[in-house]
Amino acid sequence: MRPTRVLSVLPAAVLAAGAVLAAAPAASAAAPATAPSVQRAAANPHERGPAPTEESITAEEGPFEFETIDVPAGSGDGFNQGTIYAPTDLSQGTFGAIAVSPGFVSPEALISWYGPRLASQGFVVMTIETNTLLDQPAARGDQLLAALDYLTGGDSPVRDRVDTGRLAVTGHSMGGGGTLEAARERPGLRAAVPLAPWNLNSDWSAVRTPTMILGAQNDFIAANGLHSEPFYEGLTSAPEKAYAEIANTGHMSFNTPNDVIAKYTIAWMKRYVDDDTRYERFLCPAPSDDPALVEYRDTCPGG
């Protein structure tokens, strides 16, 4: 049975997946039927799990079993404490890792649902408790990076499961603003997904990480016109970027399980952390027919 946590509710006024697969050479008439899949595996050693479907990418649980590991305060430098969710099947190799930050005056419990959701899709995930509930976006960005450093460091209980070259960040509200800060500070990150991000800065021209911003249609705390939309426009150096505004959601919607939020977060992480082009169909061409979206802007993954 997967672990569950009780989610607390904050007042509404509170602020709160690379390389494209190489084209396989044409198979000769004598080639075995399994040749294309063998060639694809050779071209992308990071591909994990079965081919995705609409049902699999929105499911509560993906194909990977995982374990939950508490990270007590004092376990590492630069962050408070947290929880690791790590796949237990190492037969496919190591996994990309994702750090997740909550928003302003929000405990880790509010973003704990991302742990099982992402880990069961084939990622090592660490959700964090921030040093203080009042930490600003820049501090949250530093803590996200510190969490990734812990996951890949010598004291990490899952260091043998993490590919140190495939790291990503996500977070909600000021944690989303911190996600952008982390991406700007560490250009080597493979993906970033700010969730209803809040930040006083809108110039993200230094970010060189593929970034998808998820906004809420009815967000009156980090209003899209003041935050998510100008942040997207400010990502002038990101190799790929997207902005998805989710219908019938508010700022705090990112703190409870949501299939649409999960779908686009997973698709972006899979595409850019795992270089898995099987997930590109959820992102490009733009999903203009998705009734769950009010708006979608993108540079279309892969060009």
Side-chain angles (χ1 to χ4, degrees):
M1 179 179 296
R2 300 280 161 77
T4 58
R5 293 192 178 190
V6 177
L7 302 182
S8 59
V9 179
L10 296 180
V14 174
L15 289 176
V20 178
L21 292 177
S28 67
T34 57
S37 62
V38 171
Q39 290 164 349
R40 184 177 65 187
N44 180 17
H46 306 316
E47 191 174 284
R48 300 286 181 268
T53 64
E54 184 72 22
E55 291 73 25
S56 72
I57 200 172
T58 57
E60 272 189 47
E61 297 181 355
F64 289 89
E65 294 294 328
F66 64 90
E67 65 175 322
T68 302
I69 304 169
D70 288 333
V71 182
S75 297
D77 296 328
F79 65 92
N80 183 354
Q81 59 189 32
T83 309
I84 295 171
Y85 304 83
T88 54
D89 178 10
L90 301 184
S91 65
Q92 298 186 51
T94 54
F95 299 92
I98 304 169
V100 190
S101 170
F104 189 65
V105 299
S106 296
E108 178 194 358
L110 287 183
I111 45 90
S112 64
W113 74 274
Y114 294 95
R117 202 74 174 240
L118 291 167
S120 67
Q121 293 287 346
F123 297 102
V124 173
V125 183
M126 183 170 172
T127 57
I128 64 170
E129 192 81 69
T130 51
N131 290 331
T132 77
L133 295 178
L134 304 180
D135 287 341
Q136 297 298 297
R140 292 169 191 268
D142 289 341
Q143 291 167 57
L144 284 167
L145 295 178
L148 291 177
D149 291 342
Y150 174 76
L151 285 174
T152 59
D155 294 331
S156 169
V158 295
R159 63 187 180 279
D160 60 334
R161 305 183 212 182
V162 177
D163 182 341
T164 59
R166 295 190 293 125
L167 307 178
V169 287
T170 185
H172 173 240
S173 193
M174 281 197 182
T179 297
L180 289 163
E181 298 278 0
R184 178 170 60 183
E185 185 174 338
R186 191 170 295 182
L189 293 177
R190 298 294 293 272
V193 181
L195 309 168
W198 189 99
N199 200 308
L200 294 178
N201 178 38
S202 61
D203 178 10
W204 302 106
S205 58
V207 172
R208 288 170 171 76
T209 297
T211 302
M212 171 176 250
I213 296 175
L214 299 185
Q217 180 183 16
N218 304 313
D219 194 335
F220 303 109
I221 295 175
N224 296 321
L226 296 176
H227 296 274
S228 292
E229 292 175 356
F231 295 172
Y232 171 81
E233 296 300 332
L235 291 165
T236 55
S237 300
E240 301 290 356
K241 62 179 181 176
Y243 167 66
E245 185 175 323
I246 302 172
N248 303 315
T249 52
H251 188 71
M252 306 307 287
S253 298
F254 294 87
N255 288 333
T256 54
N258 181 295
D259 291 347
V260 180
I261 294 168
K263 171 184 176 178
Y264 288 103
T265 301
I266 291 166
W268 196 262
M269 294 299 187
K270 281 288 191 179
R271 176 61 185 86
Y272 290 107
V273 177
D274 287 356
D275 299 327
D276 195 336
T277 57
R278 298 177 301 171
Y279 287 80
E280 191 163 303
R281 69 185 183 91
F282 300 105
L283 306 167
C284 179
S288 58
D289 59 346
D290 189 340
L293 299 182
V294 174
E295 181 183 1
Y296 189 90
R297 309 180 197 178
D298 72 312
T299 53
C300 204

